[in-house]
Coordinates of all heavy atoms in Angstrom, one line a residue:
M174 N 5.2 15.2 24.6 CA 5.9 14.4 23.7 C 6.3 13.1 24.4 O 6.8 13.2 25.6 CB 7.1 15.1 23.0 CG 7.8 14.2 22.0 SD 9.1 15.1 21.2 CE 8.3 16.1 20.1
V175 N 6.2 12.0 23.8 CA 6.6 10.7 24.4 C 7.8 10.2 23.7 O 8.0 10.4 22.5 CB 5.4 9.7 24.4 CG1 5.1 9.3 22.9 CG2 5.8 8.4 25.2
N176 N 8.7 9.6 24.5 CA 9.9 9.0 23.9 C 9.6 7.6 23.6 O 9.1 6.8 24.5 CB 11.1 9.1 24.9 CG 11.6 10.5 25.0 OD1 11.6 11.3 24.1 ND2 12.1 10.8 26.2
I177 N 9.9 7.1 22.4 CA 9.8 5.7 22.1 C 11.1 5.1 22.1 O 12.1 5.7 21.8 CB 9.0 5.5 20.7 CG1 9.8 6.2 19.6 CG2 7.6 6.1 20.8 CD1 9.2 6.0 18.2
T178 N 11.2 3.8 22.4 CA 12.5 3.1 22.4 C 13.0 2.9 21.0 O 12.3 3.0 20.0 CB 12.3 1.7 23.1 OG1 11.5 0.9 22.3 CG2 11.7 1.9 24.5
Q179 N 14.3 2.7 20.9 CA 14.9 2.4 19.6 C 14.3 1.2 19.0 O 14.1 1.2 17.8 CB 16.4 2.2 19.8 CG 17.2 3.5 20.0 CD 18.7 3.3 20.1 OE1 19.1 2.2 20.4 NE2 19.4 4.3 19.7
N180 N 14.0 0.2 19.8 CA 13.3 -1.0 19.3 C 12.0 -0.7 18.7 O 11.6 -1.2 17.6 CB 13.3 -2.1 20.4 CG 12.8 -3.4 19.9 OD1 13.3 -3.9 18.8 ND2 11.9 -4.1 20.6
Q181 N 11.2 0.1 19.4 CA 9.9 0.5 18.9 C 10.0 1.2 17.6 O 9.2 1.0 16.6 CB 9.1 1.3 19.9 CG 8.6 0.6 21.2 CD 8.1 1.5 22.2 OE1 8.7 2.6 22.5 NE2 7.0 1.1 22.8
E182 N 10.9 2.2 17.6 CA 11.1 3.0 16.4 C 11.6 2.1 15.2 O 11.1 2.3 14.1 CB 12.1 4.1 16.6 CG 12.3 5.1 15.5 CD 13.1 6.3 15.8 OE1 13.2 6.6 16.9 OE2 13.7 6.8 14.8
F183 N 12.5 1.2 15.5 CA 12.9 0.3 14.4 C 11.8 -0.5 13.9 O 11.6 -0.7 12.6 CB 14.0 -0.7 15.0 CG 14.4 -1.8 14.0 CD1 15.3 -1.5 13.0 CD2 13.8 -3.0 14.1 CE1 15.6 -2.5 12.1 CE2 14.2 -4.0 13.2 CZ 15.1 -3.8 12.2
K184 N 10.9 -1.1 14.7 CA 9.8 -1.9 14.3 C 8.8 -1.0 13.4 O 8.3 -1.5 12.4 CB 9.0 -2.5 15.5 CG 9.8 -3.6 16.1 CD 9.1 -4.2 17.3 CE 9.9 -5.3 18.0 NZ 9.2 -5.8 19.2
I185 N 8.5 0.2 13.9 CA 7.6 1.1 13.1 C 8.2 1.4 11.8 O 7.5 1.2 10.7 CB 7.4 2.4 13.9 CG1 6.5 2.1 15.2 CG2 6.7 3.4 13.0 CD1 6.5 3.3 16.1
K186 N 9.5 1.7 11.7 CA 10.2 2.1 10.5 C 10.2 0.9 9.5 O 9.9 1.0 8.3 CB 11.6 2.5 10.7 CG 11.7 3.9 11.3 CD 13.1 4.4 11.5 CE 13.2 5.8 12.0 NZ 14.6 6.3 12.1
R187 N 10.4 -0.3 10.1 CA 10.5 -1.5 9.3 C 9.1 -1.8 8.7 O 9.0 -2.1 7.5 CB 11.0 -2.7 10.1 CG 11.0 -4.0 9.5 CD 12.1 -4.1 8.4 NE 12.1 -5.3 7.7 CZ 12.9 -6.4 8.0 NH1 13.7 -6.3 9.0 NH2 12.8 -7.5 7.3
N188 N 8.1 -1.7 9.5 CA 6.7 -2.0 9.0 C 6.3 -1.0 7.9 O 5.7 -1.4 6.9 CB 5.8 -2.0 10.2 CG 4.4 -2.6 9.8 OD1 3.6 -1.9 9.2 ND2 4.2 -3.9 10.2
L189 N 6.6 0.2 8.2 CA 6.1 1.3 7.2 C 7.0 1.2 5.9 O 6.4 1.4 4.8 CB 6.3 2.7 7.8 CG 5.3 2.9 9.0 CD1 5.5 4.3 9.6 CD2 3.8 2.8 8.5
T190 N 8.2 0.8 6.0 CA 9.0 0.6 4.8 C 8.5 -0.6 4.0 O 8.3 -0.5 2.8 CB 10.5 0.3 5.2 OG1 11.0 1.4 5.9 CG2 11.4 0.0 4.0
D191 N 8.2 -1.7 4.7 CA 7.6 -2.8 4.1 C 6.2 -2.5 3.4 O 5.9 -3.1 2.4 CB 7.4 -4.0 5.0 CG 8.7 -4.6 5.5 OD1 9.8 -4.3 4.9 OD2 8.7 -5.4 6.5
A192 N 5.5 -1.5 4.0 CA 4.2 -1.1 3.4 C 4.4 -0.1 2.3 O 3.4 0.4 1.8 CB 3.4 -0.5 4.6
G193 N 5.6 0.3 2.0 CA 5.9 1.1 0.8 C 5.9 2.6 1.2 O 5.8 3.5 0.3
C194 N 6.0 3.0 2.4 CA 6.1 4.4 2.8 C 7.5 5.0 2.5 O 8.5 4.3 2.6 CB 5.8 4.6 4.3 SG 4.1 4.2 4.7
S195 N 7.5 6.2 2.1 CA 8.7 6.9 1.9 C 9.4 7.3 3.2 O 8.8 7.3 4.2 CB 8.5 8.2 1.0 OG 7.7 9.1 1.8
T196 N 10.6 7.7 3.1 CA 11.4 8.2 4.3 C 10.7 9.3 5.0 O 10.5 9.4 6.2 CB 12.8 8.6 3.9 OG1 13.5 7.4 3.3 CG2 13.6 8.9 5.1
S197 N 10.2 10.3 4.2 CA 9.5 11.4 4.7 C 8.2 11.0 5.4 O 7.8 11.6 6.4 CB 9.3 12.5 3.7 OG 8.5 12.1 2.7
Q198 N 7.5 10.1 4.8 CA 6.2 9.6 5.4 C 6.5 8.9 6.7 O 5.8 9.1 7.7 CB 5.5 8.6 4.5 CG 4.9 9.3 3.3 CD 4.3 8.3 2.3 OE1 5.0 7.3 2.0 NE2 3.1 8.5 1.9
I199 N 7.6 8.2 6.8 CA 8.0 7.5 8.0 C 8.3 8.5 9.1 O 7.9 8.3 10.3 CB 9.1 6.5 7.8 CG1 8.6 5.3 6.8 CG2 9.7 5.9 9.1 CD1 9.7 4.4 6.3
E200 N 9.1 9.5 8.8 CA 9.4 10.5 9.7 C 8.2 11.2 10.3 O 8.1 11.5 11.4 CB 10.4 11.5 9.1 CG 11.8 11.0 8.8 CD 12.7 11.9 8.1 OE1 12.3 13.1 7.9 OE2 13.7 11.5 7.6
Q201 N 7.3 11.5 9.3 CA 6.0 12.1 9.7 C 5.3 11.2 10.7 O 4.7 11.7 11.7 CB 5.1 12.3 8.5 CG 3.8 13.0 8.8 CD 2.9 13.0 7.5 OE1 3.4 12.6 6.4 NE2 1.7 13.5 7.7
F202 N 5.2 9.9 10.5 CA 4.5 9.0 11.3 C 5.2 8.9 12.7 O 4.5 8.9 13.7 CB 4.4 7.6 10.7 CG 3.5 6.7 11.5 CD1 2.1 6.8 11.3 CD2 4.0 5.8 12.4 CE1 1.2 6.0 12.0 CE2 3.1 5.0 13.1 CZ 1.7 5.1 12.9
I203 N 6.5 8.9 12.7 CA 7.3 8.8 14.0 C 6.9 10.0 14.8 O 6.7 10.0 16.0 CB 8.8 8.7 13.7 CG1 9.1 7.3 13.1 CG2 9.6 8.9 15.0 CD1 8.9 6.1 13.9
N204 N 6.9 11.2 14.2 CA 6.5 12.4 14.9 C 5.1 12.3 15.5 O 4.9 12.8 16.6 CB 6.6 13.6 14.0 CG 8.1 14.0 13.6 OD1 9.0 13.7 14.4 ND2 8.2 14.6 12.5
L205 N 4.2 11.8 14.8 CA 2.9 11.6 15.3 C 2.8 10.7 16.5 O 2.1 10.9 17.5 CB 1.9 11.1 14.2 CG 1.6 12.0 13.0 CD1 0.8 11.2 12.0 CD2 0.9 13.2 13.5
V206 N 3.7 9.6 16.5 CA 3.8 8.7 17.6 C 4.4 9.5 18.8 O 3.8 9.4 19.9 CB 4.7 7.5 17.3 CG1 4.9 6.6 18.5 CG2 4.0 6.6 16.2
Q207 N 5.4 10.2 18.6 CA 6.1 10.9 19.7 C 5.2 12.0 20.3 O 5.2 12.3 21.5 CB 7.4 11.6 19.2 CG 8.4 10.5 18.9 CD 9.7 11.1 18.2 OE1 9.6 12.2 17.5 NE2 10.8 10.4 18.3
E208 N 4.3 12.5 19.4 CA 3.4 13.6 19.9 C 2.1 13.0 20.4 O 1.1 13.8 20.8 CB 3.1 14.6 18.8 CG 4.3 15.4 18.4 CD 4.1 16.1 17.1 OE1 3.0 16.1 16.5 OE2 5.1 16.8 16.6
K209 N 2.0 11.7 20.5 CA 0.8 11.0 21.0 C -0.5 11.4 20.2 O -1.5 11.5 20.8 CB 0.6 11.2 22.5 CG 1.6 10.6 23.4 CD 1.2 10.8 24.8 CE 2.1 10.0 25.7 NZ 1.7 10.1 27.1
K210 N -0.4 11.5 18.9 CA -1.5 11.9 18.1 C -2.1 10.7 17.4 O -1.9 10.4 16.3 CB -1.1 12.9 17.1 CG -0.7 14.3 17.7 CD -0.4 15.3 16.7 CE -0.1 16.7 17.3 NZ 0.2 17.7 16.3
R211 N -2.7 9.8 18.3 CA -3.3 8.6 17.8 C -4.3 8.7 16.6 O -4.2 8.0 15.7 CB -3.9 7.8 18.9 CG -4.3 6.4 18.6 CD -3.1 5.5 18.2 NE -2.6 4.9 19.4 CZ -1.5 4.1 19.4 NH1 -0.9 3.9 18.3 NH2 -1.1 3.6 20.5
P212 N -5.3 9.6 16.7 CA -6.2 9.8 15.6 C -5.5 10.1 14.3 O -5.9 9.6 13.2 CB -7.1 10.9 16.0 CG -7.0 10.9 17.5 CD -5.6 10.5 17.8
E213 N -4.5 10.9 14.4 CA -3.7 11.3 13.2 C -2.9 10.1 12.6 O -2.7 9.9 11.4 CB -2.8 12.5 13.4 CG -3.5 13.8 13.6 CD -4.0 14.1 15.0 OE1 -4.0 13.1 15.8 OE2 -4.4 15.2 15.3
Q214 N -2.5 9.2 13.5 CA -1.8 8.0 13.1 C -2.7 7.1 12.3 O -2.4 6.6 11.3 CB -1.2 7.3 14.3 CG -0.1 8.0 15.1 CD 0.2 7.3 16.4 OE1 0.3 6.0 16.4 NE2 0.5 8.1 17.4
Y215 N -3.9 6.9 12.9 CA -4.9 6.1 12.2 C -5.2 6.7 10.8 O -5.4 6.0 9.8 CB -6.2 6.0 13.0 CG -6.1 5.0 14.1 CD1 -6.4 5.5 15.4 CD2 -5.8 3.7 13.9 CE1 -6.3 4.6 16.5 CE2 -5.7 2.8 15.0 CZ -6.0 3.3 16.3 OH -5.9 2.4 17.3
R216 N -5.4 8.0 10.7 CA -5.7 8.7 9.5 C -4.6 8.5 8.5 O -4.8 8.2 7.3 CB -5.9 10.2 9.7 CG -6.5 10.9 8.5 CD -6.9 12.4 8.8 NE -7.7 12.5 10.0 CZ -7.3 13.1 11.1 NH1 -6.1 13.7 11.2 NH2 -8.1 13.2 12.2
F217 N -3.3 8.7 8.9 CA -2.2 8.4 8.1 C -2.2 7.0 7.5 O -2.0 6.9 6.3 CB -0.9 8.6 8.9 CG 0.4 8.3 8.2 CD1 1.1 9.3 7.6 CD2 0.9 7.0 8.1 CE1 2.3 9.0 6.9 CE2 2.0 6.7 7.4 CZ 2.7 7.7 6.8
L218 N -2.4 6.0 8.4 CA -2.4 4.6 7.9 C -3.5 4.4 6.9 O -3.4 3.7 5.9 CB -2.4 3.7 9.1 CG -1.2 3.7 10.0 CD1 -1.4 2.9 11.3 CD2 0.1 3.3 9.3
S219 N -4.6 4.9 7.3 CA -5.8 4.8 6.4 C -5.6 5.4 5.0 O -5.9 4.7 4.0 CB -7.0 5.5 7.1 OG -8.1 4.7 7.0
C220 N -5.0 6.5 5.0 CA -4.7 7.2 3.7 C -3.8 6.4 2.9 O -3.9 6.3 1.6 CB -4.2 8.6 3.9 SG -5.5 9.8 4.5
H221 N -2.7 5.9 3.5 CA -1.7 5.1 2.8 C -2.4 3.8 2.3 O -2.1 3.4 1.1 CB -0.5 4.8 3.7 CG 0.6 4.2 2.9 ND1 1.3 4.9 1.9 CD2 1.1 2.9 2.9 CE1 2.2 4.1 1.4 NE2 2.1 2.9 2.0
K222 N -3.2 3.2 3.1 CA -3.9 2.0 2.6 C -4.7 2.3 1.4 O -4.8 1.5 0.5 CB -4.7 1.4 3.8 CG -5.5 0.2 3.4 CD -6.3 -0.3 4.6 CE -7.1 -1.5 4.2 NZ -7.9 -2.0 5.3
L223 N -5.5 3.4 1.4 CA -6.3 3.7 0.3 C -5.5 3.9 -1.0 O -5.9 3.5 -2.1 CB -7.1 5.0 0.6 CG -8.3 4.8 1.6 CD1 -8.9 6.1 1.9 CD2 -9.3 3.8 1.0
E224 N -4.3 4.5 -0.8 CA -3.5 4.7 -2.0 C -3.0 3.4 -2.6 O -3.0 3.2 -3.8 CB -2.3 5.6 -1.7 CG -2.6 7.1 -1.5 CD -3.1 7.6 -2.8 OE1 -2.6 7.4 -3.9 OE2 -4.2 8.3 -2.8
L225 N -2.6 2.5 -1.6 CA -2.2 1.1 -2.1 C -3.3 0.4 -2.8 O -3.1 -0.3 -3.8 CB -1.7 0.3 -0.9 CG -0.4 0.8 -0.3 CD1 0.0 0.0 1.0 CD2 0.8 0.7 -1.3
L226 N -4.5 0.5 -2.2 CA -5.7 -0.2 -2.8 C -6.0 0.4 -4.2 O -6.4 -0.3 -5.1 CB -6.9 -0.1 -1.9 CG -6.9 -1.0 -0.7 CD1 -8.0 -0.6 0.3 CD2 -7.0 -2.5 -1.1
K227 N -5.9 1.7 -4.3 CA -6.1 2.3 -5.6 C -5.1 1.8 -6.7 O -5.6 1.4 -7.8 CB -5.9 3.9 -5.5 CG -6.1 4.6 -6.8 CD -5.9 6.1 -6.5 CE -6.0 6.9 -7.9 NZ -5.6 8.3 -7.7
K228 N -3.9 1.7 -6.3 CA -2.9 1.1 -7.2 C -3.2 -0.4 -7.5 O -3.0 -0.8 -8.7 CB -1.5 1.2 -6.7 CG -1.0 2.7 -6.6 CD 0.4 2.7 -5.9 CE 0.8 4.2 -5.7 NZ 2.1 4.3 -5.0
L229 N -3.6 -1.1 -6.5 CA -4.0 -2.5 -6.7 C -5.1 -2.7 -7.7 O -5.0 -3.5 -8.6 CB -4.3 -3.1 -5.3 CG -4.8 -4.6 -5.3 CD1 -3.7 -5.5 -5.7 CD2 -5.5 -4.9 -4.0
H230 N -6.1 -1.9 -7.5 CA -7.3 -1.9 -8.4 C -6.9 -1.5 -9.8 O -7.4 -2.1 -10.8 CB -8.4 -1.1 -7.9 CG -9.0 -1.6 -6.6 ND1 -9.5 -0.8 -5.6 CD2 -9.2 -2.9 -6.2 CE1 -9.9 -1.6 -4.6 NE2 -9.8 -2.8 -5.0
E231 N -6.1 -0.5 -10.0 CA -5.6 -0.1 -11.3 C -4.9 -1.3 -12.0 O -5.1 -1.6 -13.1 CB -4.7 1.1 -11.2 CG -5.4 2.4 -10.9 CD -4.5 3.5 -10.6 OE1 -3.2 3.4 -10.6 OE2 -5.0 4.6 -10.3
N232 N -4.0 -1.9 -11.2 CA -3.2 -3.1 -11.8 C -4.1 -4.3 -12.0 O -3.9 -5.0 -13.0 CB -2.1 -3.4 -10.9 CG -0.9 -2.4 -11.0 OD1 -0.7 -1.9 -12.1 ND2 -0.3 -2.1 -9.9
Q233 N -5.1 -4.5 -11.2 CA -6.1 -5.6 -11.5 C -6.8 -5.4 -12.8 O -7.0 -6.3 -13.5 CB -7.1 -5.7 -10.3 CG -8.0 -6.9 -10.5 CD -7.3 -8.2 -10.5 OE1 -6.5 -8.5 -9.7 NE2 -7.6 -9.0 -11.6
R234 N -7.2 -4.1 -13.1 CA -7.9 -3.9 -14.3 C -6.9 -4.2 -15.5 O -7.4 -4.7 -16.5 CB -8.3 -2.4 -14.4 CG -9.6 -2.1 -13.6 CD -10.2 -0.7 -13.9 NE -9.3 0.3 -13.5 CZ -9.4 0.8 -12.2 NH1 -10.2 0.3 -11.3 NH2 -8.6 1.8 -11.9
K235 N -5.7 -3.9 -15.4 CA -4.7 -4.2 -16.4 C -4.6 -5.7 -16.6 O -4.5 -6.2 -17.8 CB -3.3 -3.5 -16.1 CG -3.4 -2.0 -16.1 CD -2.0 -1.5 -15.6 CE -2.1 0.0 -15.5 NZ -0.8 0.6 -15.0
V236 N -4.5 -6.4 -15.5 CA -4.4 -7.9 -15.6 C -5.7 -8.4 -16.3 O -5.7 -9.3 -17.1 CB -4.2 -8.5 -14.2 CG1 -4.4 -10.0 -14.2 CG2 -2.9 -8.1 -13.7
D237 N -6.9 -7.9 -15.9 CA -8.1 -8.3 -16.5 C -8.1 -8.1 -18.0 O -8.6 -8.9 -18.8 CB -9.3 -7.6 -15.9 CG -9.6 -8.0 -14.4 OD1 -9.0 -9.0 -14.0 OD2 -10.3 -7.2 -13.7
C238 N -7.6 -7.0 -18.5 CA -7.5 -6.7 -19.9 C -6.6 -7.7 -20.6 O -7.0 -8.2 -21.7 CB -6.9 -5.3 -20.1 SG -8.0 -3.9 -19.7
L239 N -5.5 -8.1 -20.0 CA -4.7 -9.1 -20.6 C -5.3 -10.5 -20.6 O -5.3 -11.2 -21.6 CB -3.3 -9.2 -19.8 CG -2.4 -8.0 -19.9 CD1 -1.2 -8.2 -19.0 CD2 -2.0 -7.7 -21.4
D240 N -6.0 -10.8 -19.5 CA -6.8 -12.1 -19.5 C -7.8 -12.1 -20.5 O -8.0 -13.2 -21.2 CB -7.4 -12.3 -18.1 CG -6.4 -12.6 -17.0 OD1 -5.3 -13.1 -17.3 OD2 -6.8 -12.5 -15.8
F241 N -8.5 -11.0 -20.8 CA -9.6 -11.0 -21.8 C -8.9 -11.2 -23.2 O -9.5 -11.9 -24.0 CB -10.4 -9.7 -21.8 CG -11.4 -9.6 -22.9 CD1 -12.6 -10.3 -22.8 CD2 -11.1 -8.9 -24.0 CE1 -13.5 -10.3 -23.8 CE2 -12.0 -8.8 -25.0 CZ -13.2 -9.5 -24.9
M242 N -7.8 -10.5 -23.4 CA -7.1 -10.7 -24.7 C -6.7 -12.1 -24.9 O -6.9 -12.6 -26.0 CB -5.9 -9.8 -24.7 CG -5.3 -9.6 -26.1 SD -4.1 -8.3 -26.1 CE -3.9 -8.0 -27.8
V243 N -6.2 -12.8 -23.9 CA -5.8 -14.2 -24.1 C -7.1 -15.0 -24.4 O -7.1 -15.9 -25.2 CB -5.1 -14.7 -22.8 CG1 -5.0 -16.2 -22.8 CG2 -3.7 -14.1 -22.7
Y244 N -8.1 -14.8 -23.6 CA -9.4 -15.5 -23.8 C -9.9 -15.3 -25.3 O -10.3 -16.3 -25.9 CB -10.5 -15.0 -22.9 CG -11.9 -15.3 -23.2 CD1 -12.4 -16.6 -22.9 CD2 -12.7 -14.4 -23.8 CE1 -13.7 -17.0 -23.3 CE2 -14.0 -14.8 -24.2 CZ -14.5 -16.1 -23.9 OH -15.8 -16.4 -24.2
A245 N -9.9 -14.0 -25.8 CA -10.4 -13.8 -27.1 C -9.5 -14.5 -28.2 O -10.0 -15.0 -29.2 CB -10.4 -12.3 -27.3
M246 N -8.2 -14.5 -27.9 CA -7.3 -15.1 -28.9 C -7.5 -16.6 -28.9 O -7.6 -17.2 -30.0 CB -5.8 -14.8 -28.5 CG -5.4 -13.4 -28.7 SD -3.8 -13.0 -28.0 CE -2.7 -14.1 -28.7
K247 N -7.7 -17.2 -27.8 CA -8.0 -18.7 -27.7 C -9.3 -19.0 -28.4 O -9.4 -20.0 -29.1 CB -7.9 -19.2 -26.3 CG -6.5 -19.3 -25.7 CD -6.5 -19.8 -24.3 CE -5.1 -19.9 -23.8 NZ -5.1 -20.5 -22.4
K248 N -10.3 -18.2 -28.1 CA -11.6 -18.4 -28.8 C -11.5 -18.3 -30.3 O -12.0 -19.1 -31.0 CB -12.6 -17.3 -28.2 CG -14.0 -17.5 -28.7 CD -14.9 -16.5 -28.1 CE -16.3 -16.7 -28.8 NZ -17.3 -15.7 -28.4
E249 N -10.7 -17.3 -30.7 CA -10.5 -17.2 -32.2 C -9.8 -18.4 -32.7 O -10.1 -18.9 -33.8 CB -9.7 -15.9 -32.4 CG -9.5 -15.5 -33.9 CD -8.6 -14.3 -34.0 OE1 -9.2 -13.2 -33.7 OE2 -7.5 -14.4 -34.3
D250 N -8.8 -18.9 -32.0 CA -8.0 -20.0 -32.5 C -8.9 -21.3 -32.6 O -8.8 -22.0 -33.5 CB -6.8 -20.3 -31.5 CG -5.7 -19.3 -31.6 OD1 -5.7 -18.5 -32.6 OD2 -4.9 -19.3 -30.7
N251 N -9.8 -21.5 -31.6 CA -10.7 -22.6 -31.6 C -11.7 -22.5 -32.8 O -12.1 -23.6 -33.3 CB -11.5 -22.7 -30.3 CG -10.6 -23.2 -29.2 OD1 -9.6 -23.9 -29.4 ND2 -10.9 -22.9 -27.9
E252 N -12.1 -21.3 -33.1 CA -13.1 -21.1 -34.2 C -12.5 -21.4 -35.6 O -13.1 -21.7 -36.5 CB -13.7 -19.7 -34.2 CG -14.6 -19.5 -33.0 CD -15.1 -18.1 -32.8 OE1 -14.7 -17.2 -33.6 OE2 -15.9 -17.8 -31.9
N253 N -11.1 -21.2 -35.6 CA -10.4 -21.4 -36.9 C -10.0 -22.8 -37.2 O -9.5 -23.2 -38.2 CB -9.2 -20.5 -37.0 CG -9.5 -19.0 -37.1 OD1 -10.6 -18.7 -37.6 ND2 -8.7 -18.2 -36.6
F254 N -10.3 -23.7 -36.2 CA -9.9 -25.1 -36.4 C -11.1 -26.0 -36.6 O -12.2 -25.8 -36.3 CB -9.1 -25.7 -35.3 CG -7.7 -25.1 -35.3 CD1 -7.3 -24.2 -34.3 CD2 -6.7 -25.5 -36.2 CE1 -6.0 -23.6 -34.3 CE2 -5.5 -25.0 -36.2 CZ -5.1 -24.0 -35.2

């Protein structure tokens, strides 16, 4: 097990918090750092990134639906004048 400095731990926690990780996820990652499990750290970050991308794509589809609705409404309005 490796000891990380308080400054290193603070930076890791801050970054993971900003990335939307929960407290338990952050603790899990800190443990992986302390145990020098670099491949598992990469896997953890990769999985979290995939979850964020999934949410991003879901929300993008919702935005696209609204954009299409506005487009259709404007097209309808132009046809009626």
Side-chain angles (χ1 to χ4, degrees):
M174 185 178 282
V175 65
N176 289 327
I177 59 176
T178 67
Q179 285 183 333
N180 189 42
Q181 289 170 318
E182 186 173 334
F183 173 80
K184 288 179 180 179
I185 291 168
K186 286 181 177 181
R187 176 70 183 265
N188 192 280
L189 293 177
T190 298
D191 290 348
C194 291
S195 67
T196 303
S197 63
Q198 288 173 311
I199 293 169
E200 290 173 11
Q201 178 186 358
F202 189 83
I203 294 291
N204 288 336
L205 293 174
V206 172
Q207 291 171 336
E208 294 169 3
K209 291 186 171 183
K210 294 184 175 180
R211 187 65 88 183
E213 288 86 349
Q214 292 171 41
Y215 284 122
R216 192 174 309 112
F217 174 96
L218 296 173
S219 225
C220 288
H221 189 66
K222 180 180 176 179
L223 287 173
E224 285 299 313
L225 292 174
L226 284 170
K227 180 181 173 185
K228 291 176 186 175
L229 175 70
H230 292 143
E231 288 171 0
N232 285 323
Q233 182 62 51
R234 280 191 294 277
K235 293 173 185 176
V236 169
D237 291 344
C238 288
L239 294 175
D240 285 344
F241 178 77
M242 190 169 200
V243 168
Y244 165 80
M246 290 168 59
K247 286 182 178 182
K248 184 177 177 187
E249 185 180 286
D250 289 345
N251 287 336
E252 290 173 357
N253 290 333
F254 289 108

